[in-house]
Amino acid sequence: MKSVLIINDTSGTYHHGCHGTSQALVRGFQARGCMVRTMPVNYSHHAQPVVTEEAQFEEKAFAEQFHDTNILTSVLMEEADLVVVNMEGTLHRLRGSARMLLWLAWYAKRWMATPVMLVNGSLFPYGKAQQPQSADDQLAQRLYQKVLRVMDGVVVRDPISKQVAEQMGVPVQQGYDSLPLFLHTLELDDQVPAYDLCLSSGVATPVAETIDYVEHALTLGLRCAFVMGAHRQPALEDVAALKALQAHFGHRCDFVNCADEQRFFSILNKSRAILTDRFHYVVAANFLGVPLFVGESNTPKIQGISGWRVGLWLKKSHFLTLPNRDAFLQAIRQQTADASVREEILQLSRVNQDLAHHFLFHQAHER
């Protein structure tokens, strides 16, 4: 039985979209006969010692210090036939979590001599820019290049990331986020409440902005709900937005904090439309065929998947221009679902596991 170690597992944190995309990876490898171990995101973002200098990637003394501080991690890496790094949105700029994820991938490959693949994620080393703009960006470019060029495979979830990687001289495979694979097998509940509009917070969304959108929805006479949920550790911005919105609106708006993923995705599925700038809400709504009003996130990741539209997305700001309920209904009626795009999305989602499966059961024997 082949052994896979998945690093940066988000199953229990942030929101149920992250849960679904990580679980799709876990279940996909298990279905292919692999033993799967996981390393949670809380560890992969905050492991010690922290990489602070470019030179540390090549320093044997630093690698030994990391080994002695993280013996269990080192053993799991050594025992694995393949380390799979679940990128999601972690790899942008050189913030601490990005540095650590790059280091873990490098450490497993360079110092533990274990094959490593990076899958299911975006690559934005320069933030929203697609070319280096500063000395910090040039440092990011060097470190991303250094790590990605020695990987045994890289799968990105959007074409912009693919273009950025290729500009750095890094060959990558075009995939998609894994969440549709999870949704494809999830039994949705039709008995959940039906809303005209479901809204979310976002990592780049001020609470005051969310309040403005809810106010406008209520002015249009829409039944709306703020929807969030996670298994254990919800996104801090979700918690802050929930508290502020409850204080501002009271009973004028519904607040749905879902304890399980079935209820969460069932509510999104039954909504007339979703207004969000959160990536996994967009992925879910797009796959489920729910009309969308979409904003921008902290990187171009949503823009990156806009080429695979099941229906016509409208800009989030367009919602504020709608004068009445009839205009809202007319706007969402224009978003007709395209089943052929759904199937394309599923095929691209499978690339994350397909590349690793080929390596484990074919390519590894050829080496």
Side-chain angles (χ1 to χ4, degrees), residues 326-345:
D326 287 342
F328 167 77
L329 295 175
Q330 182 179 0
I332 63 176
R333 276 197 296 266
Q334 296 173 356
Q335 301 192 42
T336 305
D338 185 338
S340 65
V341 179
R342 280 175 52 112
E343 184 56 36
E344 181 185 359
I345 287 171

Side-chain angles (χ1 to χ4, degrees), residues 8 12 20 22 43 60 63 68 93 97 114 120 147 152 166 171 183-184 195 223 233 236 247 318 324 336 341:
N8 211 39
S22 281
Y43 171 80
K60 184 178 180 181
D68 293 343
R93 293 198 180 276
S97 56
T114 301
N120 191 48
V147 175
D152 294 279
E166 290 174 346
L183 295 174
H184 188 56
Y195 294 100
R223 185 186 183 194
Q233 297 173 318
L236 295 178
H318 179 73
N324 50 50
T336 305
V341 179

Side-chain angles (χ1 to χ4, degrees), residues 8-28:
N8 211 39
D9 176 18
T10 59
S11 296
T13 56
Y14 300 143
H15 54 77
H16 290 302
C18 291
H19 171 83
T21 196
S22 281
Q23 279 299 296
L25 288 176
V26 171
R27 296 175 188 180

Side-chain angles (χ1 to χ4, degrees), residues 221-238:
L222 303 181
R223 185 186 183 194
C224 61
F226 177 80
V227 182
M228 59 174 284
H231 277 276
R232 289 187 296 276
Q233 297 173 318
L236 295 178
E237 60 269 19
D238 282 354

Side-chain angles (χ1 to χ4, degrees), residues 259-363:
D260 68 87
E261 65 273 12
Q262 183 191 42
R263 181 172 176 79
F264 177 84
F265 289 114
S266 295
I267 287 174
L268 294 186
N269 180 60
K270 201 168 181 181
S271 177
R272 286 182 182 269
I274 295 171
L275 189 149
T276 186
D277 52 18
R278 198 181 271 291
F279 179 82
H280 280 121
Y281 283 64
V282 174
V283 171
N286 190 40
F287 182 73
L288 295 170
V290 181
L292 276 161
F293 294 93
V294 180
E296 294 184 0
S297 189
N298 58 334
T299 65
K301 56 192 173 186
I302 292 176
Q303 177 189 347
I305 63 168
S306 62
W308 295 296
R309 297 184 180 186
V310 173
L312 174 67
W313 300 354
L314 294 173
K315 287 187 177 181
K316 186 176 167 183
S317 57
H318 179 73
F319 179 76
L320 295 177
T321 70
L322 300 176
N324 50 50
R325 180 183 177 85
D326 287 342
F328 167 77
L329 295 175
Q330 182 179 0
I332 63 176
R333 276 197 296 266
Q334 296 173 356
Q335 301 192 42
T336 305
D338 185 338
S340 65
V341 179
R342 280 175 52 112
E343 184 56 36
E344 181 185 359
I345 287 171
L346 275 176
Q347 292 298 326
L348 287 167
S349 297
R350 293 188 180 104
V351 175
N352 294 299
Q353 281 103 20
D354 289 346
L355 187 66
H357 181 269
H358 177 76
F359 178 87
L360 283 169
F361 294 96
H362 301 285
Q363 188 175 341

Side-chain angles (χ1 to χ4, degrees), residues 53-333:
E53 302 292 336
E54 183 177 1
Q56 289 173 317
F57 280 77
E58 293 288 357
E59 290 176 0
K60 184 178 180 181
F62 183 79
E64 290 174 345
Q65 180 188 3
F66 187 87
H67 179 279
D68 293 343
T69 309
N70 300 271
I71 293 177
L72 178 58
T73 296
S74 301
V75 170
L76 291 175
M77 287 178 173
E78 285 181 315
E79 290 181 347
D81 294 299
L82 178 66
V83 170
V84 174
V85 179
N86 173 40
M87 295 183 288
E88 294 197 40
T90 301
L91 292 183
H92 72 267
R93 293 198 180 276
L94 271 182
R95 56 185 186 152
S97 56
R99 282 176 183 261
M100 184 51 67
L101 203 60
L102 289 170
W103 164 253
L104 288 169
W106 174 264
Y107 175 74
K109 178 68 177 178
R110 170 71 172 82
W111 298 105
M112 293 292 101
T114 301
V116 182
M117 287 188 174
L118 274 63
V119 304
N120 191 48
S122 301
L123 291 172
F124 297 115
Y126 326 119
K128 290 191 174 184
Q130 295 178 38
Q131 294 282 352
Q133 307 291 316
S134 65
D136 287 342
D137 288 349
Q138 291 170 354
L139 173 60
Q141 183 182 55
R142 291 197 302 274
L143 287 182
Y144 275 69
Q145 284 176 324
K146 182 181 188 67
V147 175
L148 297 178
R149 283 176 174 174
V150 301
M151 295 294 101
D152 294 279
V154 180
V155 182
V156 294
R157 62 187 183 182
D158 67 89
I160 296 178
S161 292
K162 186 172 188 289
Q163 181 180 4
V164 169
E166 290 174 346
Q167 288 171 350
M168 292 191 296
V170 177
V172 298
Q173 295 287 322
Q174 182 64 70
Y176 193 79
D177 192 84
S178 291
L179 180 58
L181 296 175
F182 180 83
L183 295 174
H184 188 56
T185 59
L186 182 67
E187 184 176 346
L188 298 173
D189 182 4
D190 193 50
Q191 302 304 310
V192 297
Y195 294 100
D196 293 315
L197 186 69
C198 287
L199 305 94
S200 79
S201 71
V203 67
T205 309
V207 173
E209 181 179 306
T210 305
I211 289 175
D212 289 341
Y213 281 101
V214 176
E215 288 281 14
H216 190 66
L218 295 175
T219 300
L220 299 183
L222 303 181
R223 185 186 183 194
C224 61
F226 177 80
V227 182
M228 59 174 284
H231 277 276
R232 289 187 296 276
Q233 297 173 318
L236 295 178
E237 60 269 19
D238 282 354
V239 176
L242 176 64
K243 183 177 180 180
L245 291 169
Q246 284 177 324
H248 186 91
F249 291 103
H251 297 293
R252 292 193 294 148
C253 175
D254 284 2
F255 302 96
V256 184
N257 189 355
C258 300
D260 68 87
E261 65 273 12
Q262 183 191 42
R263 181 172 176 79
F264 177 84
F265 289 114
S266 295
I267 287 174
L268 294 186
N269 180 60
K270 201 168 181 181
S271 177
R272 286 182 182 269
I274 295 171
L275 189 149
T276 186
D277 52 18
R278 198 181 271 291
F279 179 82
H280 280 121
Y281 283 64
V282 174
V283 171
N286 190 40
F287 182 73
L288 295 170
V290 181
L292 276 161
F293 294 93
V294 180
E296 294 184 0
S297 189
N298 58 334
T299 65
K301 56 192 173 186
I302 292 176
Q303 177 189 347
I305 63 168
S306 62
W308 295 296
R309 297 184 180 186
V310 173
L312 174 67
W313 300 354
L314 294 173
K315 287 187 177 181
K316 186 176 167 183
S317 57
H318 179 73
F319 179 76
L320 295 177
T321 70
L322 300 176
N324 50 50
R325 180 183 177 85
D326 287 342
F328 167 77
L329 295 175
Q330 182 179 0
I332 63 176
R333 276 197 296 266

